[in-house]
Amino acid sequence: MEQAKVDPRILETVGRVSRPNVEYSVSPDVRHLTGDDGALAGLANLYGWFRHGHEHLQRQAREQGPVFRGRLGTRKFVMVTDPKLGSEVLRNRDKTWSTALGWLDSFGGIAGDGPLDHILTLDNGPHREVRELLMPAFSADAMRGYLDMGAPIFEETIDTWIADGRVAFKPAARDLFARVSAKLFMGIDDPTEAARLDKAMTEFWAGALALSKNPWLSPTWRKAKRAFKFLFDHHRAQVDDRRRSDAGDLFSRLCRANEGVEWLDDDALVRMFLSIMSAAFDTTSAGVTSMAYLLATHPEWQERLQSEALCTTLGRATYDDVKKLAQHELVWKETLRYYPVAPSVPRAALRDINLGGYEIPAGTMVSVIISAALRDPSCWTNPNAFDPDRFRSDRNEGKKSGGAYMPFGAGAHSCIGAQLAGLEAKAFWHAFGTRAQFRLAEPYEARHEFKPIGMVSGDVDLVIEAHGATR
């Protein structure tokens, strides 16, 4: 039944849609749609993402409408900016859209021949099997263990910043969360090793925006392939030892749990783990960096978070403490809306489909612009204002319109690590709020940028003062 719903031309190329070996590189004719998918438009669009972030995407939504054709760099897409239509694509209740082929359009070939086995390049049965395998690694007990691993690193680093009195927060937070991710995901305590892995992860993700997949023509793609090989070889050599250990890091948990999925051999296990880890090294630090800027420029909210942190506990917060940080939760959610981390989510049409009155041919690569929906005036009250209270239960604007709030995607492929990201962010700010307050060293008007992860511009240089200190 699943195969019968797929356009035969796609099946002839990729063989199977649940775990495809190759991307579908045919570009259907979509000239009946408004927009510009020429080469110059692709470069201009890429610059707009880099330089102007969500403002660029919102301007496109206003000028081009809910569905239009465009290009990002060298890749052609049909862009979907309407929240309800975007939700329809991502929730994929009629099995029209392929997540695997959407992401392979960017990453296909980076691991050489054969399937990438990224959690985002699996659909249907294989994807369900992987999600079920991963669930214990994101259970409440596992989260408690991760928090116990990360909290001492947060505290030690924040105390160092307080002693120094000033920190360039963006690079410092990146280093910090790379260390925390290395500890949580791989049990690594060495900051130098964490930095090496962080560099490889950054180069791997940069491959998604490479202008060519020819390593001779694109240094970005060449570095991405080299980074993936390094990461794969590094982790593949550890599988047997991890399987015999009782360590609480996520990689060790997965190595021990890898049973019952016939196709998931040790090579596939490592590729799948890398897909999870790759999304963890940058995204949380990006969100926390934007949150630092917003708290520095909205001191009333910084005070609310500090009061909540001090009322919860003066010591290290437990998992249950962090779960109860309601004010922290409001600001984290609003930060992800105001300065989104992810710009868009790709999908591929498995057959001809009418989407909200727009004809989308089979094989079309569609980009759901989730960050445009996050400022859509039909969904949000005063959308350009920073207002965490919009997520209070009595307002809950994010649920008033389908597709309005999808910072981590939606449907079966929504980010499995979203809860962990929020837990880390709240634990970090709790540790900060019980120790110090801060302000911008030199106030500035930040832009939002996608490079490719979204966050505020500038280094977010902060002056930090311990509680009770005199300015």
Side-chain angles (χ1 to χ4, degrees):
M1 292 293 291
E2 172 191 322
Q3 298 285 74
K5 296 178 181 179
V6 181
D7 189 286
R9 292 166 295 181
I10 296 176
L11 291 177
E12 289 173 6
T13 302
V14 306
R16 56 189 175 186
V17 295
S18 293
R19 190 183 173 219
N21 289 337
V22 296
E23 64 262 42
Y24 186 71
S25 57
V26 178
S27 296
D29 186 353
V30 292
R31 285 176 293 178
H32 59 284
L33 300 176
T34 60
D36 186 351
D37 56 7
L40 291 179
L43 293 175
N45 195 26
L46 191 63
Y47 175 79
W49 283 40
F50 279 169
R51 181 68 179 174
H52 299 291
H54 69 79
E55 289 186 3
H56 171 73
L57 298 181
Q58 289 153 26
R59 183 170 61 253
Q60 283 188 320
R62 291 192 300 269
E63 295 175 354
Q64 302 285 356
V67 178
F68 61 94
R69 59 186 169 94
R71 184 187 289 214
L72 181 64
T74 59
R75 295 184 178 90
K76 294 183 179 181
F77 292 95
V78 167
M79 313 291 186
V80 178
T81 63
D82 179 79
K84 291 183 179 179
L85 295 181
S87 177
E88 181 180 328
V89 172
L90 297 187
R91 298 188 188 282
N92 196 23
R93 293 187 174 95
D94 58 359
K95 307 300 181 186
T96 297
W97 306 98
S98 169
T99 301
L101 294 178
W103 282 100
L104 277 178
D105 184 61
S106 297
F107 287 108
I110 204 167
D113 296 333
L116 180 58
D117 290 326
H118 196 296
I119 192 171
L120 296 174
T121 61
L122 300 170
D123 274 316
N124 306 314
H127 180 256
R128 286 192 298 271
E129 290 172 330
V130 165
R131 294 281 291 210
E132 290 173 5
L133 183 70
L134 288 172
M135 290 310 295
F138 291 94
S139 66
D141 286 343
M143 294 288 189
R144 289 187 179 90
Y146 300 149
L147 185 60
D148 289 341
M149 293 181 192
I153 304 175
F154 287 149
E155 294 164 0
E156 172 192 343
T157 302
I158 293 167
D159 287 342
T160 299
W161 294 347
I162 294 172
D164 292 341
R166 186 164 175 166
V167 64
F169 190 87
K170 182 182 287 184
R174 183 185 176 85
D175 291 344
L176 168 60
F177 280 89
R179 286 181 59 198
V180 171
S181 294
K183 179 68 174 177
L184 271 57
F185 282 73
M186 294 162 288
I188 293 173
D189 290 306
D190 182 3
T192 301
E193 181 71 4
R196 189 162 70 124
L197 292 167
D198 180 41
K199 180 176 183 294
M201 283 294 171
T202 301
E203 291 177 347
F204 166 65
W205 264 111
L209 295 179
L211 294 178
S212 170
K213 288 188 178 183
N214 185 326
W216 297 103
L217 299 177
S218 173
T220 300
W221 185 251
R222 184 167 62 249
K223 288 180 181 179
K225 285 180 67 70
R226 186 171 62 223
F228 184 89
K229 185 178 186 307
F230 161 73
L231 291 165
F232 178 85
D233 292 344
H234 179 85
H235 291 87
R236 181 63 180 85
Q238 302 177 35
V239 170
D240 288 338
D241 289 341
R242 297 293 185 127
R243 192 170 283 133
R244 290 190 293 267
S245 77
D246 60 354
D249 61 275
L250 192 144
F251 186 38
S252 297
R253 289 174 183 269
L254 290 183
C255 288
R256 293 194 300 268
N258 182 25
E259 296 179 0
V261 181
E262 183 178 348
W263 59 269
L264 195 66
D265 59 15
D266 287 348
D267 286 357
L269 173 74
V270 171
R271 290 192 294 264
M272 190 265 292
F273 169 71
L274 292 179
S275 74
I276 302 166
M277 188 174 71
S278 66
F281 265 66
D282 278 350
T283 51
T284 309
S285 68
V288 168
T289 296
S290 295
M291 190 166 166
Y293 176 84
L294 288 167
L295 290 174
T297 53
H298 296 82
E300 71 281 8
W301 275 101
Q302 185 180 162
E303 292 173 6
R304 285 172 68 166
L305 265 59
Q306 289 173 347
S307 296
E308 182 176 59
L310 291 167
C311 288
T312 303
T313 176
L314 294 178
R316 180 176 299 168
T318 66
Y319 171 79
D320 292 331
D321 291 331
V322 174
K323 291 280 285 183
K324 295 176 183 177
L325 293 172
Q327 299 296 309
H328 287 63
E329 181 76 13
L330 295 178
V331 179
W332 176 244
K333 285 184 175 180
E334 176 68 345
T335 298
L336 296 177
R337 186 199 71 85
Y338 198 81
Y339 287 135
V341 172
S344 61
V345 180
R347 294 291 188 265
L350 290 174
R351 58 182 180 271
D352 295 344
I353 182 69
N354 183 293
L355 180 66
Y358 298 87
E359 297 296 332
I360 309 296
T364 301
M365 295 298 159
V366 168
S367 183
V368 178
I369 310 298
I370 56 177
S371 57
L374 296 171
R375 296 275 188 113
D376 191 308
S378 69
C379 303
W380 306 96
T381 302
N382 197 7
N384 293 321
F386 176 70
D387 180 12
D389 278 331
R390 71 174 77 248
F391 287 99
R392 288 194 331 243
S393 59
D394 60 330
R395 290 175 61 183
N396 212 355
E397 292 184 10
K399 293 185 177 180
K400 289 182 178 179
S401 177
Y405 191 72
M406 302 185 295
F408 292 102
H413 282 85
S414 60
C415 179
I416 195 170
Q419 184 181 357
L420 177 58
L423 183 75
E424 286 185 273
K426 291 191 292 183
F428 169 81
W429 286 115
H430 178 277
F432 208 130
T434 56
R435 287 167 165 76
Q437 60 272 342
F438 57 91
R439 66 182 187 276
L440 288 174
E442 296 182 9
Y444 70 101
E445 193 71 31
R447 298 187 319 276
H448 181 252
E449 307 170 323
F450 289 117
K451 292 186 176 179
I453 301 297
M455 71 180 96
V456 294
S457 62
D459 277 348
V460 193
D461 199 2
L462 301 179
V463 172
I464 304 175
E465 298 170 327
H467 289 320
T470 302
R471 294 191 177 186

